[in-house]
Amino acid sequence: MLEIKNLHARIGEKEILKGVSLTVPTGEIHAIMGPNGAGKSTLSYVLSGRDGYEVTEGEVFYNGQDILALAPEDRAAAGIFLAFQYPVELPGVGNANFLRTAVNAVRRKRGEAELDAVAFLKLARAAVKRLHMKEDFLKRNVNVGFSGGEKKRNEMLQMALLQPGLAILDETDSGLDIDALKIVAEGVNALRSPNFSALVITHYQRLLDHIVPDVVHVLSAGRIIRSGTAALALELEAHGYAGLEAA
Amino acid sequence: MSASMQAIAEQKYKYGFTTDIAMEDFPRGLSEDIVRRISAKKSEPAWMLEWRLKAYRLWLTMEEPDWAHVKHPPIDYNDLYYYAAPAAPAPKSLDDVDPELLKTYEKLGIPLNERAALAGVAVDAVFDSVSVATTFRDTLSKSGVIFCPISEAVREHPELVKKYLGSVVPVRDNYFSALNSAVFSDGSFVFIPKGVRCPMELSTYFRINARNTGQFERTLIIADDDASVSYLEGCTAPMRDENQLHAAVVELVAMDNAKIKYSTVQNWYPGDANGKGGIYNFVTKRGACRGKNSKISWTQVETGSAITWKYPSCVLLGDGSVGEFYSVAVTNNHQQADTGTKMIHIGKNTTSTIISKGISAGKSENTYRGLVKILASASGARNHTQCDSLLIGNECGAHTVPYIESRNSSAKVEHEATTSKIAEDQLFYCRSRGLSEEDAVGLIVNGFCKDVLKELPMEFAVEAQKLLAVSLEGSVG
Ligand SMILES: Nc1ncnc2c1ncn2[C@@H]1O[C@H](COP(=O)(O)OP(=O)(O)OP(=O)(O)O)[C@@H](O)[C@H]1O
Ligand SMILES: [Mg+2]
């Protein structure tokens, strides 16, 4: 379970999150929608521990543990995964090598045995196939020269291999073609279980056709201004945020 | 830095132990008498002693160069020991080698016992001023390859040594080459006869152990027509508070269609986090591509030493000959590196490739200095140079000093240079996937160096990758 209580955060002098409260019970998938610049990506970075984001007030618990004091890598080991809105390129770093290093780092921290190259490749190849990615994906350098959609799929590949307990997807659907959108959704749905929860940040209802959320929140100007069922997303699709903010 | 942090930082140099063994050394300081004693110790013929004495007298007239981008207190050449060797008589075979020495090399990851040795790699182990063991000599001699300590080659193969020694790096080339020529103590000699592909990887492992002792290694490798060889050198030293001098000369000669691949993994003690101690590594390395279509390829991974001053170069005499220089130089804390290459194009259609990756962290200074010189005779010559610098933190420096001189209008010279920092978003991306900050830096740095690391013999590439990560530990955060 993820519990965010009255979270305030700023970048430099600028306060971006102004008291976000929200709870995602284990097993549920929540969507976060909201206008550009509302603070959605900021929230995802604060949850995963990026430097430069100062929490001035509030608390975040994941499965009862206060995570704000943890380093990003320890949050990853605790099971938190962020699919980046803008995945980062790592020149010269092979994708397979990166993935195996990541998987083994997390396994080590969790006290599990590391995977050898053969065992890992078997898992990775199967995941690549499930995500309908090209075979050479594993051989290429991390995100270098990947198309926008390929980068997003690569995030999903990482998620599939890291098997998180909490996935935060920051606009993973942006820039995806219709088939890719379905594949990403299948990837998330495949992880659905009583032990998995997700925060899905998106601007579009169409993703939520495939990943049906338990709750939809609207984040605007650093606060959650509405929460509701999946129907809320349809309402937003029809009327935009303008009406909401007035309300 | 707290005392415990510093202790951790220093532990990271895992080769810093000393070997406790009875040693014989000459009195401190340099004189004609010391030169004579070194020569006598090695039972050298008169011509070799003459050569040394000439070099010594020349050295006395020379001045230490000051153009490199490095700073150090003046070196008192009369305060050094010029010869130190295990006191026991030279071993006749591996079975006679002092067990303490065998243990030392075992600890360094270089087992000298042939059964335990890395498959396919023959090793010459140089400890302070002498070679203590050379493995697989019998196997090699079956194919006609000579691989032995240079002191032995002076006695056993004088015609070859006389012909080639100093023919690529003349005694008077520079201050350190003159000094080395006067006092060199040991190093390796390799001769690959016509048409032979050396059946094993050859390597020399240099270890400085004794206190206040300079190591003056001398290496000479000759590949005759159509011959080829791959050679690797490794270097380590104990952690000591004072600076120690390593002034080597390496000469390579490649005849028609011959190929020499020379790889270095240099991991001399770099000094502590405050810049105390460490090796001064002043090295002259040069290869002559004398024959047509010959090829000399230098690959270096330089992570150690307090100061590195080194420019492995190629003289491309033979038509169609090829020179390559692939370099990774890492500096951290207070290390200083001024390194690069010279490619001298003389023959027609000669080509050279330079790929240099400099990584600076801490308060270190890292300079690439390179010369590409195309003589009027070198029609159709081509060079491609790629120099990339990566900065970690805000207190280090990276400098690129390329010199290009072309006297032939048909020559093509390309130079590209980049400077970048490890981006915060790259580090965060890796860490959000569970990598520690140091592993993240290691991964990104290895990615940055990939084009060079892939040139190393496979057995050593993995070792080099680990070394890069270790050298940069503590450089972020
Ligand atoms: N490094 C920064 N320095 C200053 N302001 C920043 C920084 N990063 C983000 N901001 C500001 O914080 C606000 C929230 O940004 P954030 O990226 O969280 O929005 P978002 O809701 O994800 O928007 P979008 O839908 O466009 O992705 C914006 O006004 C943005 O300009
Ligand atoms: Mg965003």
Side-chain angles (χ1 to χ4, degrees):
Chain A
M1 179 154 80
L2 174 72
E3 296 166 272
I4 305 172
K5 296 180 182 167
N6 189 30
L7 185 64
H8 290 253
R10 60 182 192 192
I11 307 169
E13 290 302 299
K14 191 173 169 196
E15 181 163 63
I16 315 281
L17 301 182
K18 300 173 182 165
V20 174
S21 294
L22 106 97
T23 298
V24 186
T26 307
E28 291 193 4
I29 291 183
H30 289 200
I32 296 186
M33 305 183 81
N36 293 132
K40 303 181 298 295
S41 293
T42 303
L43 177 63
S44 72
Y45 290 144
V46 171
L47 292 177
S48 44
R50 188 167 192 162
D51 278 345
Y53 294 76
E54 191 193 345
V55 174
T56 52
E57 223 184 308
E59 294 172 297
V60 178
F61 293 95
Y62 177 60
N63 292 340
Q65 186 183 16
D66 174 2
I67 59 162
L68 290 180
L70 296 182
E73 55 271 35
D74 295 326
R75 299 187 200 197
I80 297 175
F81 177 85
L82 168 63
F84 282 54
Q85 182 174 2
Y86 304 107
V88 178
E89 298 185 2
L90 301 176
V93 180
N95 215 14
N97 181 26
F98 176 66
L99 287 164
R100 185 156 85 94
T101 309
V103 167
N104 280 336
V106 165
R107 290 180 73 100
R108 213 164 40 233
K109 284 218 173 95
R110 291 177 186 162
E112 297 164 7
E114 295 186 29
L115 296 178
D116 65 29
V118 178
F120 171 78
L121 264 184
K122 211 171 142 193
L123 277 182
R125 288 216 178 99
V128 163
K129 211 164 166 192
R130 274 201 307 281
L131 289 164
H132 300 267
M133 292 160 70
K134 287 191 207 100
E135 294 239 317
D136 70 349
F137 243 67
L138 289 169
K139 290 194 192 122
R140 291 170 64 181
N141 291 338
V142 180
N143 294 327
V144 178
F146 285 23
S147 74
E150 285 172 340
K151 284 183 180 168
K152 297 300 179 72
R153 273 200 243 189
N154 204 27
E155 296 292 286
M156 291 301 97
L157 174 63
Q158 295 177 30
M159 182 176 77
L161 291 168
L162 287 168
Q163 297 272 319
L166 170 69
I168 305 163
L169 273 56
D170 191 357
E171 295 196 28
T172 301
D173 54 331
S174 308
L176 290 185
D177 64 41
I178 296 162
D179 294 336
L181 187 75
K182 280 190 194 147
I183 293 162
V184 165
E186 277 165 24
V188 176
N189 289 330
L191 289 178
R192 263 193 200 242
S193 83
N195 303 317
F196 174 79
S197 45
L199 264 182
V200 178
I201 298 170
T202 181
H203 286 295
Y204 306 108
Q205 161 61 30
R206 55 170 203 175
L207 177 67
L208 305 181
D209 288 341
H210 301 287
I211 307 175
V212 181
D214 297 289
V215 180
V216 175
H217 305 277
V218 178
L219 183 75
S220 177
R223 287 191 189 88
I224 304 284
I225 55 165
R226 273 279 292 275
S227 298
T229 61
L232 178 56
L234 290 168
E235 194 184 315
L236 292 172
E237 183 96 334
H239 305 292
Y241 297 110
L244 274 187
E245 272 164 301
Chain B
M1 201 188 277
S2 71
S4 63
M5 273 290 289
Q6 188 164 327
I8 292 169
E10 290 179 8
Q11 271 173 16
K12 303 228 155 111
Y13 188 75
K14 64 175 179 180
Y15 307 104
F17 62 91
T18 50
T19 304
D20 208 2
I21 181 174
M23 294 292 284
E24 174 190 8
D25 51 33
F26 291 177
R28 278 178 203 257
L30 187 50
S31 61
E32 279 207 16
D33 182 50
I34 291 286
V35 174
R36 283 176 198 281
R37 283 177 70 169
I38 292 172
S39 183
K41 190 82 211 165
K42 302 199 172 279
S43 318
E44 285 177 355
W47 62 266
M48 192 70 248
L49 173 62
E50 268 321 300
W51 199 82
R52 286 176 180 275
L53 287 171
K54 255 175 81 187
Y56 173 67
R57 289 173 199 136
L58 181 71
W59 177 73
L60 286 175
T61 68
M62 298 172 82
E63 301 225 352
E64 204 178 310
D66 61 0
W67 44 261
H69 190 85
V70 297
K71 282 199 205 92
H72 59 81
I75 299 169
D76 182 352
Y77 291 90
N78 272 321
D79 195 38
L80 294 176
Y81 292 97
Y82 286 82
Y83 183 88
K92 298 234 161 18
S93 77
L94 279 178
D95 301 331
D96 300 336
V97 177
D98 186 318
E100 256 329 289
L101 286 173
L102 290 179
K103 252 194 257 162
T104 297
Y105 284 89
E106 196 84 36
K107 252 167 117 174
L108 296 170
I110 320 284
L112 296 178
N113 175 328
E114 289 188 7
R115 276 162 312 225
L118 211 46
V121 183
V123 179
D124 183 17
V126 177
F127 190 82
D128 291 325
S129 306
V130 291
S131 166
V132 292
T134 309
T135 64
F136 294 107
R137 292 175 60 162
D138 296 344
T139 315
L140 289 167
S141 67
K142 279 187 196 120
S143 51
V145 171
I146 305 172
F147 179 43
C148 68
I150 194 146
S151 50
E152 184 183 318
V154 168
R155 296 188 303 266
E156 311 285 325
H157 307 284
E159 65 303 335
L160 288 173
V161 176
K162 261 191 209 167
K163 183 167 172 196
Y164 293 106
L165 190 73
S167 76
V168 187
V169 179
V171 171
R172 62 175 60 251
D173 189 78
N174 66 72
Y175 187 80
F176 298 110
S177 66
L179 176 63
N180 175 287
S181 301
V183 300
F184 75 87
S185 37
D186 230 332
S188 301
F189 175 81
V190 176
F191 181 81
I192 317 286
K194 278 194 172 75
V196 173
R197 279 184 58 149
C198 186
M200 304 179 86
E201 196 77 51
L202 303 184
S203 85
T204 304
Y205 197 90
F206 294 96
R207 175 78 177 165
I208 299 179
N209 185 60
R211 195 173 281 278
N212 281 318
T213 299
Q215 192 179 55
F216 303 92
E217 92 193 53
R218 185 96 197 184
T219 293
L220 177 56
I221 299 177
I222 302 130
D224 210 337
D225 296 348
D226 304 299
S228 69
V229 62
S230 168
Y231 176 93
L232 183 122
E233 66 170 354
C235 342
T236 60
M239 297 192 285
R240 296 198 185 278
D241 286 347
E242 76 271 5
N243 296 108
Q244 286 183 282
L245 179 64
H246 172 84
V249 172
V250 174
E251 298 177 278
L252 313 182
V253 179
M255 306 308 285
D256 286 355
N257 305 308
K259 287 189 175 59
I260 301 177
K261 181 177 176 63
Y262 192 107
S263 314
T264 303
V265 177
Q266 186 266 106
N267 188 22
W268 295 118
Y269 177 53
D272 70 11
N274 301 312
K276 199 168 168 57
I279 302 285
Y280 291 166
N281 191 33
F282 300 145
V283 170
T284 307
K285 290 183 166 172
R286 196 171 303 155
C289 282
R290 296 218 172 122
K292 63 177 189 324
N293 301 322
S294 56
K295 176 174 172 182
I296 288 180
S297 180
W298 299 99
T299 304
Q300 60 174 24
V301 175
E302 303 281 320
T303 60
S305 297
I307 302 180
T308 297
W309 178 100
K310 155 175 190 201
Y311 315 89
S313 304
C314 297
V315 180
L316 304 171
L317 265 169
D319 289 349
S321 60
V322 176
E324 294 174 338
F325 175 72
Y326 301 104
S327 170
V328 169
V330 181
T331 51
N332 195 0
N333 298 317
H334 291 265
Q335 282 176 276
Q336 310 173 61
D338 192 303
T339 184
T341 184
K342 289 190 268 187
M343 294 289 176
I344 315 292
H345 292 254
I346 301 171
K348 288 188 186 52
N349 300 316
T350 47
T351 54
S352 62
T353 303
I354 299 172
I355 299 183
S356 161
K357 306 276 180 177
I359 299 146
S360 352
K363 297 186 163 67
S364 68
E365 294 288 332
N366 201 324
T367 302
Y368 167 81
R369 187 183 301 278
L371 168 68
V372 176
K373 188 169 183 169
I374 314 255
L375 272 62
S377 53
S379 312
R382 273 178 295 141
N383 162 268
H384 179 81
T385 300
Q386 173 81 45
C387 282
D388 299 317
S389 307
L390 187 69
L391 298 169
I392 302 174
N394 295 318
E395 293 179 281
C396 53
H399 317 272
T400 302
V401 192
Y403 303 91
I404 298 168
E405 294 171 25
S406 180
R407 306 235 173 83
N408 188 306
S409 58
S410 68
K412 272 201 208 120
V413 178
E414 300 164 349
H415 179 90
E416 289 174 46
T418 66
T419 300
S420 53
K421 285 194 141 199
I422 292 193
E424 184 273 333
D425 63 349
Q426 293 177 322
L427 281 180
F428 174 61
Y429 190 64
C430 295
R431 294 179 73 189
S432 76
R433 301 305 184 241
L435 273 68
S436 67
E437 189 160 31
E438 288 181 343
D439 287 348
V441 170
L443 197 74
I444 293 166
V445 164
N446 274 302
F448 174 77
C449 301
K450 191 167 155 190
D451 290 343
V452 173
L453 296 178
K454 71 176 172 30
E455 298 296 330
L456 281 177
M458 238 225 306
E459 301 88 323
F460 301 100
V462 178
E463 201 51 41
Q465 277 182 24
K466 283 193 207 135
L467 191 56
L468 285 182
V470 169
S471 308
L472 288 167
E473 274 181 19
S475 63
V476 287

